Amino acid sequence: MKSSALGRTYADKECIIRQGEAGDCMYVVQMGKVEVVREEGGAEVSLAVLDEGDFFGEMALFEKEVRSATVRSLGESCVLTVDRKTLVGRVQEDPSLAFNILRTLSSRIRKLNAELVRAKGRSGT
Amino acid sequence: MRKPEKGPSLADSLTSLAQAKSSDLRLEDGSEIAVIGGGPAGSFFSYFVLGQAERVGLDIRVDIYEPRRFDESGPSGCNHCGGIISESLVQILAAEGINIPPSVVQRGIDSYMLHTDVGSTRIDTPLVEKRIAAVFRGAGPSGLGESSWSSFDSYLLKLAVSKGAQVLRKLVNGVEFKAGRPHLRSPDGWNKDYDLVVVATGVTSNFFQLIQSLEIGYHPPRTVKTFICEFELGREMVQAHLGTSMHVFLLDIPGLEFAAVIPKGDYATLCLLGHDIDNQMVEAFLASPEVKGCFPDPEMIPEHVCFCFPRINVQSAVQPFGDRMVLVGDCGVARLYKDGIGAAYRTSKAAAKTAVLHGIAKEDFEQHYWPACHAIAKDNRIGKFIFAFNHLFQGKRFSQRAVLRMTSWEQQKKEGPRFMSMVLWDLFTGSAAYREILWRTFHPAFWVPFAWNLVAAVFSRGGDKKIGRSL
């Protein structure tokens, strides 16, 4: 991993955020890949693999719920932490700063809708 | 029963007149914008104005006039700056979707080494994470051959081009208004009318006289001379002696406000800020044992491979806007001594939003762009007060010892608040507004231990130099 990459370096399979824990920041992948997994009844379901430039943990910026999934490094990765205080403070001054996050959230809802339709089709309901 | 209708008051008439004026001058489909200067302010403006226009369905053209090529090493491709992207700006840009690639980041900074006349201590980033980027504005110092990294300014310019901006490799040497529209000329005979001209030329440009001749009420910012130079140490030596820390010096040298040595790839960049910086001050600084101790051989600091005395904005310009014209970045308002690129981002984005969402008349910029500039200028006044206070402490050894003792004690604590560390961190990094920094110093948890350390420092001498020296 290049020493010049920003953020913190995580080793392969190292946990970046853990499902059920409290959080007050979001993360942006600077180098490498990370995997988002949800633990249900002792089993793990892989939800997504995120690449450079992708972000995660943004739900903690908008609601005071615990982390909804675990995110682990896939191979070595560099991930930048974005503090809620820094971001929310700037969004107060410049609401358009949230546009990029909203666009990604919108895209994720679109993908979820498609997944839901496929799941319903398979279950025949 | 309805009240009888009254005629409009004078205030209503003036308001509607102003609104009518602002709505008269708006960007429309096919509008053309000239951006003079392709540094961070010009590139940020172009990127955001094209992004905002796309969101509201406006089809506009942006031409960036930039004769220099930032991919060239040495002065011709450099914008003469220390090259630090602050912690808060790195995060905000990431939230915008602008992730500075590792090829542009010369070194991620995760800590500061504070050097005073009485010793040194290390201040770690709150999350022990590399969130400050050390970059080269051009392609590196003079004499550098082919490099494996990219220039920060070149990266931003390419980002603007990826949004649809055109780069014209031309020098603009004439601007005038023709039939109410700005008209640009270049020495090769090229000339063109635009709907809006955005000036992003920094403070070292001769373009100021041209803008003043337009009589829009603009007065350039007040500037002071700084000193920047590069030492070639080699990647291993930089890592071994400077690590991933920015080295900050608060030394009792008359006129010196702030000094830093920034590790970057194979090089170390030295920045001196203060009043009337000249060769004599540079020599006095380099001769101090605290500075020598940062280099591989303290007895022989290598010759610098590149140097300059650029000017920086220390007092904002007067009225950096007019009808169909706005000045962004350093030629308008910058943050005092710190985070110039952060100020370029904020002012450029505010100008871009104003142009697309509100209009391009003087009143539009006054109402929607100027508040962003004014907030920075207002904060700078608090910054001047903080630096004056800091100067008092810098001049007395016992107060230097007190600051050092308190910071070292906080850094050795496993948990709990670190008020002095956070005050110094934000002061050096430019991550927080000066207002926030001042506010923190009013907290009793800052004053009580500081008062104790001041008393202790009066009665103790020496012994501090070993605290926190390791990288």
Side-chain angles (χ1 to χ4, degrees), chain B residues 136 179 206:
Chain B
F136 277 127
N206 295 325

Side-chain angles (χ1 to χ4, degrees), chain A residues 2-8 28 30-31 53 79-83 85-87 90 93-94 96-97 99-100, chain B residues 52 55 88 90-92 94-97 99-100 102 105-106 108 127 129-133 345-346 349 353:
Chain A
K2 286 188 181 179
S3 66
S4 56
L6 292 173
R8 190 177 147 189
V28 186
Q30 301 293 303
M31 279 192 80
V79 178
L80 179 80
T81 311
V82 178
D83 307 324
K85 193 182 163 204
T86 303
L87 191 64
R90 278 295 299 154
E93 292 172 33
D94 173 20
S96 72
L97 179 58
F99 194 87
N100 185 49
Chain B
Q52 292 279 357
R55 281 177 210 164
S88 55
V90 163
Q91 293 177 72
I92 288 163
E96 292 271 17
N99 290 289
I100 308 167
V105 180
Q106 293 304 303
L127 291 172
E129 184 174 318
K130 287 186 265 187
R131 293 204 295 189
I132 296 171
Y345 158 80
R346 284 169 69 181
K349 193 173 179 192
K353 279 165 57 187

